[in-house]
């Protein structure tokens, strides 16, 4: 068998707790569930920083954020930092990014041969915080309780428009790969299709909203009477310390979030369908993951920016050739994916251009034992989007 293709389907702000594959009682995620049923589900996978840009930079580089100075959503991801896209290209893979990766700085490809959409967030330094005023809230790029209050249903949002484009562009690229293969190009491919859902605002199309009823929606399991100092800082930053939510508002936001989880799941299904249509499903390792989770009202917290489980834990499912069926209990994190991809591609960590902080998860994915049971996370940012 030739070296397997690699397809990563990435969500934004998806806590595994709100998926059927990880046991949620009402979440409708049939495509994720199907991959988990035939592959390996990692039950202790974590982000390396519970914030979009730093987490994604760690994912791309295999390095912790303190090593590459990727502290917040305005930190530049320097073009000199090697990524798994560079290494896979060196191993002979065709590489493509479709969708969000929150690259900040002039390099918007970071080793990908093709990038078939723009990003959804600014690539400049507009979100740079004023570090001389650490306790002063700024509104640009910041979360607040209004996002929860405005949750519900809409026919279209800019996130829906974006994700529909991401899915279309990814499928078109795969079709073009199949055309090239018919002309004799046998190179394996590696694609990241990165969607912004179910990231807030919690607004879903009727098709997905109507999959659920209010009775399907569990309310937050635990809201403490008092908070630790860092949680208090997060609450202040998102206006939660002085803007109250009603039970109906919390339920509506959680229902919209579940609806958007199902919408994201449909994108997984579209990718699997396309891989099947082009005859590559049997030779493709599919990975489903996310950059971080969402508290969604647990402990009265929303969004991310902390190391409680709903914020820091991510889904991680692998399915494909030589991937065992089962559950991996070892702690791991997104920095482990770079060495995993190199391993899948037939390379070794001897080829890396800078020190990395992860290890290959391929032994675990094959059902073997792994003596390492570790995930390291850092949060060095102000409270922001």
């Amino acid at each position: 068998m030739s070296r397997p293709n690699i397809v990563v389907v990435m969500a934004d702000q998806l806590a595994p707790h709100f998926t059927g594959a990880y046991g949620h009682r009402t979440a409708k995620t049939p495509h994720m569930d199907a991959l988990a049923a035939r592959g390996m589900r990692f039950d202790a996978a974590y982000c390396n920083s519970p914030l979009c840009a730093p987490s994604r930079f760690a994912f791309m580089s295999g390095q912790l954020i303190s090593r590459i100075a990727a502290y917040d959503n305005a930190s530049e991801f320097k073009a000199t930092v090697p990524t798994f896209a560079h290494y896979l290209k060196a191993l002979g893979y065709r590489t493509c990014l479709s969708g969000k990766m929150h690259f900040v700085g002039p390099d918007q490809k970071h080793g990908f041969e093709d990038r078939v959409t723009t990003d959804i967030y600014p690539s400049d330094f507009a979100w740079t915080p004023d570090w001389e005023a650490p306790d002063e809230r700024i509104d640009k790029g910041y979360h607040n309780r209004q996002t929860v209050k405005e949750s519900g249903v809409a026919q279209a949002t800019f996130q829906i428009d974006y994700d529909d484009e991401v899915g279309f562009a990814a499928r078109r690229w795969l079709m073009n790969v199949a055309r090239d293969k018919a002309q004799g190009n046998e190179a394996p491919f590696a694609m990241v299709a990165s969607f912004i859902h179910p990231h807030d605002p919690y607004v879903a199309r009727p098709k997905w909203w109507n999959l659920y009823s209010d009775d399907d929606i569990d309310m937050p399991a635990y809201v403490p009477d008092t908070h630790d100092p860092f949680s208090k800082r997060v609450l202040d930053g998102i206006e939660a310390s002085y803007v109250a939510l009603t039970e109906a508002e919390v339920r509506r936001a959680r229902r919209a979030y579940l609806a958007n989880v199902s919408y994201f799941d449909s994108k997984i299904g579209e990718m699997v369908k396309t891989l099947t249509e082009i005859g590559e499903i049997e030779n493709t390792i599919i990975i489903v993951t996310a950059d971080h989770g969402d508290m969604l009202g647990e402990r009265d917290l929303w969004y991310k920016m902390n190391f409680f489980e709903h914020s820091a834990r991510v889904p991680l499912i692998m399915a494909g050739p030589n991937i065992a069926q089962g559950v991996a209990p070892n702690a791991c994190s997104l920095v482990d994916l770079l060495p995993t991809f190199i391993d899948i591609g037939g390379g070794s960590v001897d080829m890396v251009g800078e020190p990395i902080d992860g290890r290959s998860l391929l032994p675990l994915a094959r059902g073997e034992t792994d003596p390492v049971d570790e995930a390291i996370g850092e949060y060095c940012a102000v409270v922001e989007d």
Side-chain angles (χ1 to χ4, degrees):
M1 180 182 290
S2 61
R3 288 178 297 163
N5 308 308
I6 300 167
V7 170
V8 180
V9 187
M10 194 170 198
D12 193 327
Q13 208 160 293
L14 174 57
H17 313 70
F18 299 106
T19 69
Y22 283 88
H24 191 278
R25 70 179 185 91
T26 58
K28 296 173 175 62
T29 52
H31 303 292
M32 196 185 308
D33 300 354
L35 290 175
R38 70 178 179 90
M40 184 63 64
R41 188 188 74 198
F42 291 78
D43 274 7
Y46 292 88
C47 66
N48 301 103
S49 186
L51 191 65
C52 291
S55 178
R56 291 166 182 275
F57 299 173
F59 160 69
M60 288 294 307
S61 68
Q63 300 184 57
L64 296 173
I65 65 166
S66 57
R67 190 188 291 275
I68 55 174
Y71 300 122
D72 58 32
N73 279 349
S75 295
E76 181 179 3
F77 189 27
K78 295 180 180 179
T80 54
V81 177
T83 71
F84 65 74
H86 291 109
Y87 298 131
L88 288 175
K89 188 174 181 180
L91 289 168
Y93 276 72
R94 299 181 62 175
T95 57
C96 177
L97 170 61
S98 181
K100 175 186 175 179
M101 203 51 68
H102 209 140
F103 293 148
V104 178
D107 187 351
Q108 289 296 300
K109 296 180 81 170
H110 287 280
F112 286 105
E113 180 181 4
D114 296 316
R115 183 166 192 181
V116 291
T117 70
T118 61
D119 218 312
I120 192 168
Y121 283 164
S123 59
D124 61 12
F125 302 100
W127 288 0
T128 302
D130 183 354
W131 290 101
E132 294 184 354
D135 296 319
E136 181 179 319
R137 175 186 165 81
I138 60 174
D139 287 328
K140 185 175 177 61
Y142 274 59
H143 285 291
N144 58 55
R145 279 282 176 100
Q146 200 61 28
T147 304
V148 181
K149 289 180 173 294
E150 293 176 354
S151 60
V153 191
Q155 289 294 341
T157 66
F158 79 91
Q159 284 101 331
I160 294 170
D161 295 344
Y162 183 78
D163 277 356
D164 284 348
E165 179 184 351
V166 169
F168 171 79
R171 298 193 306 276
R172 180 175 58 188
W173 189 87
L174 290 173
M175 286 293 182
N176 286 335
V177 166
R179 292 185 180 104
D180 290 346
K181 188 170 184 178
Q183 297 299 316
N185 186 346
E186 295 291 334
F189 58 84
M191 162 175 275
V192 178
S194 184
F195 300 89
I196 195 169
H197 282 86
H199 190 291
D200 61 285
Y202 309 114
V203 179
R205 294 202 71 191
K207 174 180 180 179
W208 308 106
W209 175 267
N210 292 333
L211 285 178
Y212 300 91
S213 70
D214 284 351
D215 292 339
D216 294 328
I217 310 305
D218 293 329
M219 296 297 283
Y222 175 60
V223 177
D225 294 327
T226 60
H227 291 277
D228 61 275
F230 184 78
S231 294
K232 181 64 166 59
R233 179 173 172 79
V234 174
L235 289 167
D236 291 345
I238 64 172
E239 300 182 338
S241 298
Y242 48 89
V243 176
L245 296 174
T246 67
E247 181 177 313
E249 288 169 337
V250 173
R251 189 181 302 277
R252 187 174 67 235
R254 287 169 71 96
R255 178 175 173 178
Y257 182 89
L258 280 180
N260 284 333
V261 170
S262 294
Y263 169 72
F264 167 73
D265 184 74
S266 76
K267 298 303 181 186
I268 299 174
E270 290 174 2
M271 297 296 294
V272 170
K273 182 174 183 289
T274 300
L275 289 167
T276 303
E277 290 171 345
I278 66 174
E280 294 290 343
I281 191 67
E282 297 298 328
N283 194 36
T284 300
I285 294 178
I286 303 172
I287 298 100
V288 176
T289 192
D291 57 353
H292 50 72
D294 191 321
M295 292 301 292
L296 215 65
E298 301 295 332
R299 304 184 65 88
D300 204 29
L301 296 167
W302 290 81
Y303 322 119
K304 55 272 187 179
M305 303 169 291
N306 63 73
F307 285 104
F308 292 116
E309 284 283 297
H310 286 78
S311 170
R313 195 167 150 216
V314 297
L316 182 59
I317 296 167
M318 296 186 192
N322 298 317
I323 303 300
Q325 181 183 19
V327 175
N330 296 54
C332 60
S333 66
L334 293 178
V335 294
D336 297 320
L337 290 178
L338 179 146
T340 303
F341 297 157
I342 291 176
D343 204 355
I344 291 170
S348 74
V349 293
D350 294 336
M351 70 184 294
V352 300
E354 290 185 356
I356 58 172
D357 295 302
R359 89 278 194 182
S360 174
L361 300 179
L362 199 52
L364 281 172
R366 289 172 173 162
E368 302 165 13
T369 58
D370 181 358
V372 181
D373 188 14
E374 175 183 275
I376 296 174
E378 307 166 276
Y379 188 77
C380 305
V382 295
V383 177
E384 59 175 304
D385 187 30

